[in-house]
Amino acid sequence: MTGFGGFPLAGLDFYEDLEADNSKAFWTAHKDVYEQSVLAPMKALVAELEADFGTAKLFRPYRDVRFAKDKSPYKTAQGAVVGTAQGCGWYVQISAAGLFVGGGFYQGSSEQIAQLRATIDDEVRGAELEAILAKLTKAKFTIGGEQLKTKPKGYEADHPRIDLLRHKSLTASKEFGAPSWLDTPRAAKEIRSAWETQRPMIEWLSAVVGGTANW
């Protein structure tokens, strides 16, 4: 495998066209573009980052349409995740919109969510998470994740961290778009920096929810 040289803009063009024509005919005719401008650079990227973050899983390009109303056969983005605990990890994605970097606790069991809330409720540990998220917000990450519309059972509506307690998942992400360095080796440095900035949150969440990475 050759070293990572960036994400070619041809990959973004490929996904823009795929959004317009999500068909087997288009995919077959342009599969070489996907392999050369999307899949190969993504593999090279995660190989370069593996020593510092761990082994990544690349998501398959095919959608599971068995129970979906949308029967489009192909995903319109290529993602990769480095799992750190059950439902936790770092994430990177390339699509027509460009580069997207994220991470956090994406999904988990009711027991994991209960443990997360109990730790957020703790005066010391909850304050730790607040400080971590404040730094991420300052670094222009978007804090997200699925939330309850009302307060979770067992907690008061005036709890000082009620917004965090409502989370069923908790993530931080940044949309980079298509900056001038996207198709250069600098892209790996930017992604590495973003993941390192997220590391305190990833480690905090992984320690709390536990379990073996299951991506």
Side-chain angles (χ1 to χ4, degrees), residues 84-86 88 112 115-116 119 125 128 199-211:
T84 57
Q86 189 175 348
C88 283
Q112 285 180 296
Q115 181 59 43
L116 174 62
T119 311
R125 298 284 278 137
E128 286 176 357
R199 189 183 288 276
M201 179 191 69
I202 300 292
E203 292 182 344
W204 191 98
L205 290 169
S206 299
V208 169
V209 304

Side-chain angles (χ1 to χ4, degrees), residues 10-195:
L12 278 62
D13 292 339
F14 164 80
Y15 277 120
E16 185 174 356
D17 292 339
L18 182 62
E19 289 178 358
D21 182 8
N22 197 314
S23 67
K24 185 176 181 180
F26 174 85
W27 181 268
T28 301
H30 299 86
K31 188 176 180 181
D32 60 327
V33 179
Y34 165 76
E35 292 178 340
Q36 296 170 18
S37 298
V38 177
L39 185 60
M42 184 65 81
K43 286 182 175 179
L45 170 69
V46 297
E48 185 167 324
L49 299 178
E50 182 173 355
D52 292 328
F53 299 97
T55 303
K57 172 189 174 181
L58 271 66
F59 291 104
R60 288 165 51 84
Y62 312 105
R63 295 183 63 245
D64 183 353
V65 300
R66 289 174 298 173
F67 307 107
K69 291 183 179 180
D70 178 4
K71 299 300 182 181
S72 302
Y74 304 103
K75 297 176 182 175
T76 54
Q78 175 64 60
V81 63
V82 177
T84 57
Q86 189 175 348
C88 283
W90 282 284
Y91 182 75
V92 60
Q93 174 183 289
I94 197 75
S95 70
L99 177 66
F100 174 89
V101 176
F105 173 53
Y106 285 91
Q107 57 186 2
S109 65
S110 56
E111 291 79 10
Q112 285 180 296
I113 296 170
Q115 181 59 43
L116 174 62
R117 288 181 176 141
T119 311
I120 290 172
D121 181 45
D122 181 81
E123 193 70 29
V124 175
R125 298 284 278 137
E128 286 176 357
L129 180 60
E130 281 187 308
I132 289 168
L133 297 179
K135 288 182 179 180
L136 284 168
T137 300
K138 188 174 181 180
K140 298 183 179 179
F141 282 83
T142 299
I143 307 303
E146 184 182 359
Q147 290 179 282
L148 296 174
K149 293 182 179 180
T150 59
K151 68 180 183 67
K153 186 177 180 180
Y155 297 96
E156 298 299 326
D158 61 352
H159 191 288
R161 288 177 294 282
I162 190 61
D163 286 342
L164 283 177
L165 288 168
R166 288 168 52 218
H167 277 267
K168 298 177 67 176
S169 59
L170 183 60
T171 63
S173 62
K174 183 179 288 190
E175 294 270 8
F176 285 90
S180 59
W181 45 258
L182 184 61
D183 59 351
T184 75
R186 177 182 164 186
K189 297 179 181 179
E190 296 290 344
I191 295 164
R192 181 192 302 275
S193 176
W195 277 7

